[in-house]
Amino acid sequence: RPCSRGRLAHFLNRDGGPVAGRVIATDALAGRGFIGSFGDASVIAQPQQLSHDEAVATHAPTVVVSSWMPEEDWTAVWRAQPSVRAYVVLGECDGGQSGLPWETWGVRPSECFGAADADLPPPPWLVGPEPAADAVPPFQADGWARLGATEPAVAAVTRWMVGQGDEDAPRGNSTCATVFVRG
């Protein structure tokens, strides 16, 4: 799994606005080198070596931004942190490539793209029971709301992200920015 180079925090801090100078990059794998083929692999802003839960406990942020969360759910920890008023998940939404379909996004695993693809082994998040028909997504049960992709700021970030490389993505990548806010 590639570790962060601090690019997102660097540019958010540099370009002004309400968060300038206050964004802290963290990554559990910080300092272990960048693995991948995304061009320049130099570190722009050295992230603090903290896992997502350590970072939230240490810094008590108001907003959490996650870029390409692995196929696990981190959002329950963020929702439980009293200081967190919103979190933004950047990556493939609703399909199990960033976070987990039900736990992160509130989407039933059987409804995800690729869930029934006979050419591939079942993804890990598809194994196990489906949520009950009347189940409430975890973020809603915790008193949070998911802002739609039509919200102007969310749509602008999504358009920028798609322009960064999805043109060659196989099988209909659904890269987006999704904002969740405390109700």
Side-chain angles (χ1 to χ4, degrees), residues 101-103 106-111 125 128-138:
W102 180 250
E103 294 82 350
V107 174
R108 296 180 188 292
S110 61
E111 298 170 358
W125 44 260
E130 184 84 0
D134 61 348
V136 175

Side-chain angles (χ1 to χ4, degrees), residues 6-177:
R7 289 184 67 158
L8 181 59
H10 168 79
F11 288 112
L12 287 172
N13 282 325
R14 184 194 76 181
D15 290 340
V19 298
R22 299 184 4 214
V23 178
I24 301 167
T26 65
D27 192 311
L29 301 177
R32 296 188 186 174
F34 181 74
I35 305 166
S37 59
F38 299 106
D40 178 18
S42 61
V43 172
I44 293 176
Q46 182 62 50
Q48 294 178 7
Q49 188 171 354
L50 296 171
S51 66
H52 75 95
D53 49 341
E54 292 170 328
V56 168
T58 299
H59 295 292
T62 304
V63 177
V64 174
V65 178
S66 175
S67 178
W68 290 96
M69 182 188 319
E71 292 178 355
E72 55 189 71
D73 181 60
W74 296 349
T75 64
V77 170
W78 306 339
R79 290 191 304 269
Q81 172 68 27
S83 68
V84 177
R85 307 302 303 154
Y87 59 91
V88 182
V89 182
L90 307 173
E92 184 171 340
C93 60
D94 297 343
Q97 295 299 314
S98 291
L100 295 173
W102 180 250
E103 294 82 350
T104 305
W105 306 100
V107 174
R108 296 180 188 292
S110 61
E111 298 170 358
C112 292
F113 177 79
D117 191 334
D119 295 336
L120 299 173
W125 44 260
L126 191 57
V127 178
E130 184 84 0
D134 61 348
V136 175
F139 68 86
Q140 287 180 343
D142 290 347
W144 290 70
R146 178 179 171 172
L147 299 184
T150 58
E151 298 284 334
V154 176
V157 172
T158 296
R159 281 192 305 276
W160 177 83
M161 289 176 64
V162 169
Q164 297 305 302
D166 279 358
E167 63 277 354
D168 296 327
R171 310 185 63 208
N173 187 307
S174 58
T175 299
C176 64

